[in-house]
Amino acid sequence: MLMTVLDGSIVTVAMPAIQADLGFTPVGLSWVVNAYLIAFGALLLLAGRLGDLLGRKRMFLAGTAVFTAASLLAGVAGSPGVLIAARFLQGVGSAMASAVSLGILVTLFTEPRERAKAIAVFSFTGAAGASIGQVAGGLLTDALTWNWIFFINLPIGAAALLLALRALPADGPARTRGGADVTGALLVTSGLTTGIYAVVKIEEYGAGSAHTLGLGALALVLLAGFLVRQATAAQPLMPLRILRSRAVAGANLVQMLMVAALFSFQILVALYLQKVLGYGAAETGLAMLPAAAVIGVVSLGLSARLIARFGERNVLLTGLVLLVGVLGLLARVPVRASYAVDLLPVMLLAAGFGLALPALTSLAMSGAREEDAGLASGLFNTTQQIGMALGVAVLSTLAAARTESLTAAGRSAAEALTGGYHLAFAVGAGLLVAAFAVAFALLRTPRKAAPQGPESEKRSPEVALTA
C-alpha cells in the first residue's frame, strides 16, 4: 500500500524533469500519469474478483512482483514509449495487489476491535505514502535524477514480497468450477477503461465536446451491459448481492464524493503553493507535511478507539465536518497568504481524513461475505479511482476556466490563479456536504447484516459488521 500510494504522488513532482530529459511533448507527458490511472482503475474490480476465485495471496504476490519489475523498467526507460508502457504495467501490478489487500485484511482480522486497529494502520499507510511521495519526489529529483523516483520502489517491493510469503496464510484451491465470467470481465474492463480515458482527456477536449460525450456514453452502455450480465450469468464476476447492503453501497458513494472533493486539497493546494506563493518542490512537500502528521496521529492513535466507542457512522460524520472546514477555509485563502495564519490551520483540520477513511473502510467492507471480500476490496478501490478521476476532471476544469475569465478581466496572474482555486475549493466543499448528507441518510441505522440466502449460515459471524 505504501509503495502504490507513494508512486502516485512522487511522479507528479518529477514531471518537469522527465519531460526535459526524455523529450515528451506537453500532451504526451500527461500519459505518464494517465497510462497508470487507466490500467489501475480499469482492472481493480476484475482483480478483486479473481483474487476471490484464484487466491488472494497469489494475486497479491503476482501484482507486487509485476509492479516492482515495471518500476525497474520505468527507471531505466530511455524513451517516452518505454516509460509509458512501464507505467501501464505498474498500473496493472498495482491493481492486482491493491484490489485484494483489504480482502486479505478483513479475513485475517475478524474480531471487530482488532479489525478496526488493522484498518487504521492501513489508512495511515496510505496517508504516509502520499506525503512521503511529495517530499521524496522533490528531494530525489533535485539531489539525484528522476529515475530514482522509480528505483525507490525496488527495495520496498522486494521486502513486501519476502514478508508476504511468510506472513500471509496459504490460499486454498482455486474456485474455478463453472468457469469465469469472461463476457462480464470484458464488459467491465472496457467500460471502466473507456470512462476513465474520457475523464482524463476532458482538459484537452472539453467537457461538452463530441469526444468526451461520445466516449462517456459508450462507457455507460458498456457498464450497463455489465450489470445486465451480472444479473443473468450463472457465475457472475460481481454478484449483485454485494450492493444490497446499505452500508457497502452508501460507503462507496460517500467515498466517491469525498475523494473527488479532496483532489482539490491534495493537488490544487500544491499548485497554489508553487504557482502563487513561489514554493519549490521540496518546500511544497514539507509545507503539507503537518497534514500527514495529524492524519497519522488520528488514524493510528484515535480512530479505532473512537469507532469502538461511538460507531463508524458517527466518526465518519465528524471527519466529514472537519474536512468541510478544510475546503471552506481554502476557498478564502488570500493571494499573499501567511503559512502560519492561513495554511497551518487548514493542515491541522486535515485530521478529519484520519477519522473519515478508517470508518468508511470498515463500513465498505462490513456487508461482504467472506468469499466476496476481494470483490468488496476491489469495489472500494474502484470507487476511489473513479472519484479521483472525476475530481481531476471537474475541479481542474472549473479552476482553469475561472482563471481564464479573471485573466481576461485584467487580474494579475497570481490573483487569477487564486480565484480559480477558490472556485474549485468551494465546489469541493459542496461535494463534502453532499457526502455528509448521503452518510447521514444511508448509514443511519446500525444493525447486524441480515442473512442473504443459504450461504449466510456458513459465514463467520464476525464477517458481518454493523451495517
Side-chain angles (χ1 to χ4, degrees):
M1 182 64 176
L2 172 70
M3 183 169 62
T4 298
V5 179
L6 182 149
D7 187 79
S9 59
I10 200 172
V11 171
T12 58
V13 181
M15 296 280 272
I18 292 173
Q19 182 178 18
D21 191 28
L22 296 185
F24 272 98
T25 64
V27 174
L29 185 64
S30 67
W31 282 99
V32 175
V33 175
N34 293 345
Y36 178 89
L37 286 178
I38 289 173
F40 184 49
L43 294 174
L44 279 165
L45 198 60
L46 175 60
R49 190 55 177 167
L50 289 178
D52 289 333
L53 298 175
L54 303 178
R56 296 179 197 122
K57 180 178 181 178
R58 296 184 187 106
M59 185 64 67
F60 179 84
L61 291 173
T64 304
V66 169
F67 184 92
T68 305
S71 297
L72 176 60
L73 179 61
V76 301
S79 67
V82 173
L83 181 57
I84 290 172
R87 289 288 289 160
F88 184 88
L89 288 175
Q90 278 189 308
V92 172
S94 183
M96 294 169 66
S98 300
V100 296
S101 296
L102 278 172
I104 291 172
L105 187 150
V106 299
T107 52
L108 286 178
F109 297 93
T110 56
E111 195 275 319
R113 187 178 294 272
E114 294 261 330
R115 183 182 292 184
K117 291 179 181 178
I119 288 176
V121 173
F122 186 85
S123 302
F124 164 75
T125 308
S131 303
I132 292 171
Q134 289 170 335
V135 177
L139 294 176
L140 289 173
T141 304
D142 291 344
L144 298 170
T145 63
W146 62 265
N147 311 75
W148 285 90
I149 68 173
F150 298 111
F151 290 149
I152 197 174
N153 291 330
L154 302 183
I156 303 176
L161 284 169
L162 291 174
L163 289 169
L165 280 169
R166 298 186 61 181
L168 297 183
D171 290 317
R175 297 189 293 113
T176 56
R177 186 175 59 184
D181 181 14
V182 176
T183 302
L186 290 174
L187 285 170
V188 71
T189 303
S190 58
L192 288 172
T193 300
T194 304
I196 294 171
Y197 175 77
V199 167
V200 300
K201 300 298 283 183
I202 282 178
E203 192 169 353
E204 180 179 344
Y205 289 96
S209 67
H211 180 275
T212 300
L213 295 177
L215 287 178
L218 177 59
L220 290 176
V221 169
L222 290 169
L223 292 175
F226 168 71
L227 292 176
V228 172
R229 171 68 182 176
Q230 300 317 287
T232 58
Q235 295 290 333
L237 181 71
M238 187 186 81
L240 297 183
R241 63 174 179 264
I242 195 171
L243 299 178
R244 294 173 190 160
S245 166
R246 197 162 73 171
V248 173
N252 277 280
L253 180 56
V254 170
Q255 179 184 228
M256 192 182 303
L257 293 167
M258 185 177 79
V259 171
L262 291 180
F263 158 78
S264 62
F265 176 77
Q266 183 180 355
I267 304 298
L268 295 186
V269 169
L271 292 174
Y272 168 79
L273 291 171
Q274 294 185 53
K275 292 187 174 183
V276 177
L277 299 186
Y279 285 32
E283 288 178 298
T284 299
L286 291 172
M288 298 185 72
L289 203 54
V294 296
I295 290 171
V297 169
V298 170
S299 60
L300 278 180
L302 291 175
S303 65
R305 283 181 287 175
L306 291 175
I307 288 172
R309 182 170 181 179
F310 299 107
E312 291 95 339
R313 174 183 179 271
N314 291 329
V315 173
L316 171 61
L317 293 175
T318 302
L320 289 172
V321 169
L322 293 177
L323 292 175
V324 170
V326 168
L327 295 188
L329 289 176
L330 286 173
R332 303 182 62 184
V333 70
V335 175
R336 295 177 180 83
S338 162
Y339 181 81
V341 174
D342 299 306
L343 293 172
L344 184 57
V346 170
M347 302 299 169
L348 298 179
L349 281 176
F353 191 72
L355 294 176
L357 186 59
L360 200 54
T361 305
S362 294
L363 287 165
M365 298 300 295
S366 65
R369 300 178 179 186
E370 186 172 357
E371 64 268 25
D372 293 334
L375 173 62
S377 175
L379 178 63
F380 189 67
N381 282 288
T382 299
T383 57
Q384 187 178 85
Q385 292 304 306
I386 292 173
M388 187 181 301
L390 290 173
V392 170
V394 175
L395 298 182
S396 61
T397 300
L398 290 174
R402 178 63 174 163
T403 297
E404 287 180 9
S405 68
L406 291 174
T407 301
R411 300 288 184 88
S412 67
E415 290 175 327
L417 283 169
T418 304
Y421 298 147
H422 280 172
L423 176 60
F425 294 140
V427 173
L431 291 174
L432 287 172
V433 171
F436 182 96
V438 171
F440 187 85
L442 294 186
L443 310 177
R444 180 169 44 196
T445 308
R447 59 182 177 84
K448 292 292 182 182
Q452 300 176 22
E455 292 183 357
S456 63
E457 297 176 2
K458 303 176 184 178
R459 287 164 55 185
S460 170
E462 293 89 349
V463 172
L465 290 182
T466 303

